[in-house]
Amino acid sequence: MGGSRPSTLEEKRDALLRLRLRRKREEALSLRRAPSAPAEERPPASPLVPLSHGGTKPPLFLVHAAGGSVAPYVTLAALLGDDRPVYALEDPGLHGGVTEGRRLSDLAATYLAAVREVRPDGPLHLGGWSVGGAVALDMARQDGDVAVTFALDTALPEEPSHPCDDELRAWFAADVAEMGAEPDTTEMAERFPVFAANVRGLLTFRPTRVDGRVVLLCAEDADPDKLDSWRAYADEIQVVRGDHYTMLQPAHVEALADVMRDRLSEVSVR
């Protein structure tokens, strides 16, 4: 690891925070300029969050996991190279968007529209961790012109299931603990509907084979059943270092980035 990398990662994290603050400020100013406009008539804020701007290669778009935040991708984006723009898609539910009754395909359609605003022509490069991999796969289905779709340790349900709120709250608490986050009670209450909507969407998701290359990158401790469930939909299945959470953390994220860079290079000749 080069001696300048830590400061580079810190700069990118700071840039992300500044960007999000600027977006919130611009949204607030917009609302003040048009106070009489009904909420349903105001254009929604874009879910896209730029993580890396440099380069002329086709951008990579990464969909959030169940929690909805794009923060887990900040380090990964910094390691994918200065020659490729990277955008992440953040769940609108974290900013007051509707989550009740939302289907995964609806989320995919919303994100696809935002992505095509940035890249109106040419094949897309998509990916997502956990639930995000399923959303990315459905974006590929809906668009039809996708060069590669990365699913990062995404589980596919064998059949639809409908967990109760108590089960989801237990899963949510475990997920927050594994992420190393320490939200207060108010934040937990605000984030839970987003988590619940995304998990419910995944558990009723029915995948299909899509055009373009599909790459499943599984954690070392992946259940063999997870691999088997993907064989009908993935062109490549590869095990990478770490578990479901640590694969994106400093100990292992460089190895993950290496694999993704290689696969992106292979399809970017299109």
Side-chain angles (χ1 to χ4, degrees):
M1 179 179 261
S4 63
R5 179 162 288 160
S7 61
T8 301
L9 297 183
E10 290 170 3
E11 290 168 3
K12 288 183 179 292
R13 294 190 188 100
D14 290 343
L16 175 60
L17 291 174
R18 288 196 300 271
L19 173 69
R20 294 186 63 184
L21 288 171
R22 185 169 70 248
R23 286 175 59 200
K24 289 179 179 295
R25 183 167 60 251
E26 290 170 351
E27 291 168 23
L29 289 172
S30 176
L31 293 178
R32 284 200 292 271
R33 284 194 295 267
S36 61
E40 62 271 16
E41 295 179 8
R42 298 172 191 151
S46 172
L48 282 173
V49 178
L51 298 184
S52 177
H53 297 275
T56 59
K57 291 184 178 180
L60 174 65
F61 300 91
L62 298 172
V63 182
H64 61 79
S69 171
V70 303
Y73 296 132
V74 173
T75 302
L76 175 63
L79 294 170
L80 289 175
D82 295 333
D83 54 352
R84 185 179 304 278
V86 179
Y87 294 81
L89 289 143
E90 188 166 67
D91 197 310
L94 294 176
H95 309 290
V98 176
T99 57
E100 186 68 29
R102 189 179 69 186
R103 298 179 303 171
L104 187 147
S105 60
D106 297 332
L107 202 59
T110 297
Y111 292 169
L112 184 58
V115 164
R116 280 304 186 187
E117 285 288 325
V118 172
R119 184 168 171 81
D121 303 307
L124 298 176
H125 298 68
L126 306 174
W129 173 46
S130 189
V131 173
V135 179
L137 187 68
D138 203 63
M139 291 170 67
R141 176 189 67 82
Q142 294 184 34
D143 187 82
D145 188 13
V146 176
V148 63
T149 304
F150 292 103
L152 308 182
D153 211 50
T154 300
L156 296 177
E158 294 183 5
E159 57 185 31
S161 61
H162 305 276
C164 67
D165 277 357
D166 286 344
E167 289 178 284
L168 288 168
R169 289 187 189 281
W171 298 348
F172 178 52
D175 186 70
V176 169
E178 290 285 356
M179 292 290 291
E182 297 181 353
D184 59 27
T185 303
T186 300
E187 289 176 310
M188 290 285 283
E190 291 173 347
R191 295 183 187 184
F192 173 70
V194 172
F195 178 89
N198 287 326
V199 172
R200 285 191 170 109
L202 177 64
L203 293 178
T204 56
F205 174 62
R206 307 311 296 164
T208 59
R209 184 76 188 186
V210 302
D211 293 333
R213 190 173 184 181
V214 176
V215 180
L216 173 68
L217 301 177
C218 267
E220 289 176 309
D221 64 346
D223 189 321
D225 290 341
K226 178 185 289 187
L227 305 183
D228 290 340
S229 67
W230 270 96
R231 297 194 189 283
Y233 313 107
D235 300 283
E236 178 184 356
I237 297 175
Q238 182 166 336
V239 174
V240 296
R241 297 175 188 170
D243 61 26
H244 182 71
Y245 294 93
T246 62
M247 65 188 292
L248 280 166
Q249 294 174 6
H252 303 301
V253 69
E254 286 196 55
L256 174 64
D258 286 344
V259 176
M260 293 180 69
R261 280 198 309 270
D262 288 345
R263 301 305 177 269
L264 286 166
S265 296
E266 292 167 5
V267 301
S268 288
V269 296
R270 284 186 56 184

